[in-house]
Structures are given as structure tokens and as C-alpha cells.
Amino acid sequence: MGFDEQSPPPILLPMIISSNPYHKNRNPLLYSQPKYFANVFTAIVGAGVLGLPYAFKRTGWLTSFFILAPVAALSYHCMILLIRTRRKLETEGVKIASFGELGSAACGPLGRAAVDFMIVFSHAGFCVGYLVFIANSLASLHHHNLVPKAAYVWACFPFQLALNSIPTLTHLAPLGVFAEVVELGAMGMVMADDVAAFQHDRPQVNPFGDESTLFYGIGVAVYAFEGIGMVLPLESEMAEKQSFEKILALSMSFITLTYAAFGLLGYFAFGESTQAIITANLSKGLTGTLVQLGLCVNLFFTFPLMMNPAYEVVERRVGGRCCVAARWGLVLGVSLVALMVRNFADFLSLVGSSFGCALAFVQPAVFHAAVFREELGVVGLAFDGCIVLAGVFFGVCGTWYALQEILSVKV
């Protein structure tokens, strides 16, 4: 989900190598349709999927099912808006390689600053979620919680300082491949465990929630589909660009079905006992322990990859070189915020609502309207305006309800 300065979406080895800003002179590897499909899947599917079963519990399984499809459709539409906006600008002689550059070309310095702001805070938010997951998962492995969760966050801190001091993504690329393999394997094992638990217990489940949980569910869904920044570099490196929209639509449809299956199976398996992190519901034993440890290792090594777009924004503004002090400051800030977060899924909803809605919906529609204002007409401008209003509305309401959940006392 990389956003800036040709930054690649993390965890994708081909993208990391070919789009790395330290290797700009290399010829990119153009993707075939199957590889593009796989790269879209791996760029979007991340830690957010682990909070979906809890979101299904809070929102109701039927409501959640019908939230996923519109969020996926709107996310897809806004990705297409970005691509069409870039193509329009490039016909006018403006070269666009990143989301930030597109914002600058469409709306000037203010557009660039808005994208930069959202990049830094959204990616920092993703990494806060990673640390929360690691701390909660490791703590759950001890039946009596002998070690406080904060200890696990601080235990990660010096190692993250070292990993995040590495200036080039090339050295981290193998970690991304390893992390993706672990995550996909863990998802399969979790779903298999869900099926076994459902066959054994068949708990009661609710199809609907109230209006507050609706916004909560939308926030989690937006977080789970967050991938707006990967479309520009991926489309640039696709061999058959005329098939871009079709393959992206197929990828998003498959991801939506995967998310629906994962969320439904998790909630149907455990009902009201579904935990904020579904891996906490895994059966105790060697398999469950290995899955949780594997995911912790996955997110631990994904941390520096996910923070890289934020580093590129900060370092571009402080001179364009790798600044270890700035990186360490961001890692410290992320760690301190992680200490204050108690519920993984609640925080996903907050990040998805506060930053995800702006990045995924508001900014693409604003940039599209700014570039195509003379061609769109009243109806087209009104449609883009509706997307902006919807993004702002759901962003504000979702942020408000997510903050209420985070600040409330949880038993």
C-alpha cells in the first residue's frame, strides 16, 4: 500500500525491486494478468482481515455482508478515477509516478500536502495495529498474563529501530515474501479451525446491529480494502494495460468474497465469543500457537515495509536523504500510541474511518473533478461531489463512533 515517490506496495517482491526509489534506472518487470491479479490480492489483503470476524459480530453478519460489497465497489471506482486522472494528465505532458505527484498536479501544493499528511498518519496507524496485534497475541499465549502487553511492545522497540534504519527496501524484500506466505497460510488454518468449531458448537449469531455499529463496520471494511496507493505503480508495470480495469475488478471481487467468507466463518464459529483478533479464538495447542507466532513474526517484519512510504514523505521534506533520527522518532511515536490501544478491531475502525475514507474516497474524487472539470459536466461533477460527501460523512461518523469504543471501558 505504498503511496509516494514510486514507493511500492509493501510485501510485493517484484514491486519492491522494480519500483524502489534507490533503483530508478532499472527497467521494470511488466506483469502478466495472473501476476497482476496476485499482486493486487497481496497488496490489499493484510492484517485488517483478522479483525473482520469481530466486526461481523459487532455489526451483524448480514449487515456486514452488505457493507463489504459497496465499500469494495466504491474503492474500485476510486482506484479507476486515479488511473484515468493520471492518463489525462499524461496526455498533457505531465509525468505522474505516485499518488502524491498526482495530488500536486491536480491541486497544487495543497493537494500534495493533503496526500502526504494522510500517508504518514495512515501508515503509522497500520503499524500501531501491528504492534497491538503482536502484544495481544503474545500475551494471550500465557494463560495467566504474567507479562504485561506493554512489555512486548517495548521488547520490539530496539529491533524495530534497527530494521527501520535500513535505507533501501531491496534488503527487506525477502522479508516481504516470507510475511505474505505466512499470512496466507495462517488465514487458511484459521478458516479450517473455524469450520471445525462451527460443526462442534453452532453458536447463536445476530444478522443486524444498531446504527452506531454500522459506522464501525464501514471503518473496518475501509481499512481492510485499503490499497488506493498501489494502483498507480501496479498499472505502470502491467504488460497489458488495456486489461487493467477488468483484472482489477476481478481481483476486488475475489477479495470481497474472501473477506466475506473469512468474516462469516469466524463469527459463525464463535458467535458472541468472537475476539477482536480472531486468532485468539483458535483452539489451544501447537497449531494455534504456531499460527499466532507466525503472524506475529509476519507483522514484525512487515513493519519497516509499511512505514517506508511515511519515511519517504518525511525525508523528502527534510532534504531527500535517509534520516535515521526522523525514522526513530516515528517508530517511537508509533510504539507510544500502541501502548494506549486496547482493542485491535476498534483501532482498525478508527484508522479506516479517519484516514482511510479520505485516502480511498475523498482525495481521488477531488483530484478527478479538478482535472476533468471541463469534460464532466454537471452530472459528472455532482457524482464526484457525492463521493466526496459520502467519504467525509462516513469518515467523521466512523471516527466518532470508533473513538467512543476505544475510550469506553472494556471488560
Side-chain angles (χ1 to χ4, degrees), residues 18 55 217 225 271 312 405 408:
S18 63
F225 282 107
E312 288 174 349
E405 290 296 320
S408 65

Side-chain angles (χ1 to χ4, degrees), residues 34-328:
K35 288 182 179 179
Y36 180 81
F37 182 94
N39 279 335
V40 172
F41 183 87
T42 55
I44 293 178
V45 178
V49 70
L50 301 173
L52 284 176
Y54 183 78
F56 273 57
K57 165 190 162 183
R58 294 293 312 280
T59 310
W61 66 267
L62 189 58
T63 303
S64 298
F65 187 79
F66 285 108
I67 284 174
L68 286 176
V71 169
L74 189 56
S75 297
Y76 165 78
H77 176 73
C78 290
M79 290 176 185
I80 298 304
L81 291 185
L82 276 190
I83 292 298
R84 292 176 179 174
T85 302
R86 176 169 72 174
R87 290 173 179 171
K88 168 70 172 176
L89 290 169
E90 289 185 341
T91 62
E92 299 173 357
V94 182
K95 189 66 176 176
I96 304 294
S98 68
F99 198 177
E101 290 178 3
L102 189 147
S104 178
C107 296
L110 182 60
R112 182 63 178 255
V115 173
D116 285 351
F117 177 83
M118 290 298 170
I119 288 170
V120 172
F121 283 94
S122 63
H123 279 255
F126 298 152
C127 291
V128 169
Y130 292 175
L131 292 180
V132 172
F133 177 91
I134 292 171
N136 289 352
S137 296
L138 293 178
S140 70
L141 295 178
H142 298 282
H143 298 295
H144 302 291
N145 292 325
L146 298 177
V147 181
K149 296 176 182 178
Y152 294 110
V153 174
W154 289 122
C156 293
F157 182 69
F159 299 101
Q160 286 299 338
L161 291 181
L163 283 173
N164 285 268
S165 299
I166 299 174
T168 172
L169 287 176
T170 303
H171 301 307
L172 298 174
L175 301 180
V177 175
F178 167 77
E180 195 60 39
V181 170
V182 170
E183 182 174 18
L184 293 175
M187 284 180 62
M189 296 178 71
V190 169
M191 294 176 76
D193 194 80
D194 290 345
V195 171
F198 175 72
Q199 292 175 338
H200 183 267
D201 294 328
R202 297 180 183 270
Q204 181 179 356
V205 293
N206 298 317
F208 304 106
D210 57 34
E211 68 279 358
S212 65
T213 60
L214 172 66
F215 295 113
Y216 181 94
I218 291 174
V220 174
V222 171
Y223 182 104
F225 282 107
E226 182 58 62
I228 191 71
M230 63 85 189
V231 294
L232 295 180
L234 271 181
E235 195 264 350
S236 295
E237 302 195 6
M238 186 174 180
E240 304 170 20
K241 291 182 173 56
Q242 68 276 10
S243 302
F244 169 79
E245 296 186 15
K246 181 183 72 174
I247 300 301
L248 180 60
L250 290 173
S251 302
M252 292 294 287
S253 298
F254 181 74
I255 291 169
T256 303
L257 293 175
T258 301
Y259 280 174
F262 193 86
L264 285 171
L265 283 175
Y267 180 38
F268 275 50
F270 304 106
E272 293 305 306
S273 298
T274 304
Q275 299 296 310
I277 304 174
I278 189 59
T279 53
N281 287 109
L282 288 175
S283 55
K284 303 300 180 183
L286 179 61
T287 301
T289 299
L290 289 177
V291 169
Q292 293 195 67
L293 289 176
L295 285 171
C296 287
V297 172
N298 163 17
L299 297 181
F300 180 85
F301 287 115
T302 303
F303 187 111
L305 296 172
M306 184 60 73
M307 284 298 295
N308 189 72
Y311 295 150
E312 288 174 349
V313 170
V314 173
E315 290 168 354
R316 171 168 42 80
R317 293 184 174 274
V318 297
R321 297 182 178 180
C322 177
C323 179
V324 175
R327 293 183 176 213
W328 285 16

